[in-house]
Amino acid sequence: MRAVLVWTVRLCGLVGWVAVAVACAWLLGVGGVPRPWNALLVWGAVAAGCAVVRAGALWGVRRLGLSGGGVSLNKAHGGGSWASYDRLGPEVLGRRRPPLGYVLGRHLDSRGWIRGRSCAVWLLVGFASAALFVGLLAAGSRDDRVDALRDAGARVSSATVVERPGGVREDLSEDVVRGYSARLVVAVSGGSERLAVKGAYTFDKPRAGTEVEVLWAPSAPELGGYVHERKDLRALAGGRWSAFSGGADGRDALVAFVLVMVIGCVLAAVFTFTAGPGALQRLAWAPGVQTVRAALIVAVFLGWRPFLLGDEASLPEELFAGGGFILVLLVYVFTSVGTIGDD
């Protein structure tokens, strides 16, 4: 039973790490795909399930009176599931072939592995926070008009504003004008169609005669058009999306992603190399800490679930989905800060 619990903790940690990495990588490129995002939902469920099972196994380990995965980093204590083999001494061990579990367990509890594991966890925390933030921008910017135009066979064409724009509003950021939104009527170049465009976004103030690119469906001109100079219209027409696609939104997303990843790398260095292997091992096998982290993972997954399925989200779900990227950083920092300077 003891060995089963220990290896359950380890395997769930590995599978959960992979599931989170795959889910977050997937999140960076699925924004233009019609929902439900079933693949992303499955990977998120695997990650949440592994976190819960791992926390439960850790409580089982605690109940059996084990710690640190069954290995004491201080051999003077003589405890742990490998103690019977440790006491045999190198002469006897040289003649007896130890079981595979002994060999793997000793390797997985080495000081180098412990620091590497801690660094990998923190790098994943930074990557997950960055992906959740960028993915939130994509999920929140979905437009049903784009979906309707794509279903009708959307294409991108040059067009000219043929009437005086209406409802022109400035897009301000810290008192700096980033662009303008307006209602436009445009004529597609080389054609007679006139398209109504609601909520058109342009960097320069639109006027009659202004040249723009419009996303529209030749088979359904009654749907109007879509103009947004911060987005990659050709990617939207093809049903593709990437967090770092062309356009100003892609550049902004890349900057945000890099900044959060830098924070994650700094935290990885701080919490991996300012604590001793013993402190890192105790943290990794602390059921209370890992239960808090598992609860966070489950809450963020449940918060994102409506967005993944294309359903309406409740207020708690919106809070955990919207604040998930910062909650991940904060919870992991607060649950790890006690290891700094500890052996």
Side-chain angles (χ1 to χ4, degrees), residues 105-320:
R106 295 292 288 180
H107 175 71
L108 294 177
D109 289 303
S110 67
R111 287 168 170 78
W113 172 261
I114 290 170
R115 290 199 185 278
R117 178 185 64 198
S118 175
C119 186
V121 168
W122 277 105
L123 290 177
L124 182 63
V125 167
F127 178 65
S129 297
L132 286 172
F133 180 72
V134 173
L136 183 67
L137 297 179
S141 62
R142 182 189 179 193
D143 196 311
D144 292 336
R145 291 176 298 169
V146 175
D147 295 339
L149 289 170
R150 187 188 302 115
D151 292 341
R155 59 181 292 186
V156 179
S157 302
S158 297
T160 304
V161 179
V162 294
E163 294 183 7
R164 181 178 179 180
V168 179
R169 293 183 298 176
E170 295 179 343
D171 175 22
L172 295 174
S173 176
E174 297 180 355
D175 296 327
V176 176
V177 178
R178 302 172 64 220
Y180 299 85
S181 61
R183 297 189 305 274
L184 304 179
V185 176
V186 301
V188 177
S189 299
S192 59
E193 293 88 351
R194 288 198 172 193
L195 307 173
V197 181
K198 297 180 180 179
Y201 187 96
T202 57
F203 292 124
D204 298 323
K205 189 173 184 179
R207 295 179 175 84
T210 298
E211 297 288 332
V212 296
E213 282 197 331
V214 60
L215 179 71
W216 67 297
S219 62
E222 67 276 5
L223 293 176
Y226 181 81
V227 174
H228 204 303
E229 293 186 348
R230 294 187 63 87
K231 299 185 182 297
D232 186 342
L233 296 185
R234 286 176 173 79
L236 293 177
R240 306 183 312 276
W241 184 87
S242 170
F244 317 122
S245 61
D249 280 358
R251 293 192 295 271
D252 291 348
L254 179 59
V255 171
F257 183 85
V258 171
L259 287 177
V260 179
M261 276 300 300
V262 168
I263 294 174
C265 291
V266 171
L267 292 175
V270 170
F271 288 105
T272 299
F273 299 106
T274 61
L280 295 176
Q281 186 77 326
R282 289 191 296 273
L283 178 67
W285 290 80
V289 170
Q290 301 306 323
T291 298
V292 171
R293 292 179 175 182
L296 169 69
I297 294 171
V298 171
V300 171
F301 168 70
L302 293 178
W304 268 86
R305 184 176 174 275
F307 291 99
L308 303 180
L309 295 175
D311 298 334
E312 292 292 328
S314 64
L315 179 58
E317 289 170 333
E318 289 181 351
L319 291 176
F320 278 106

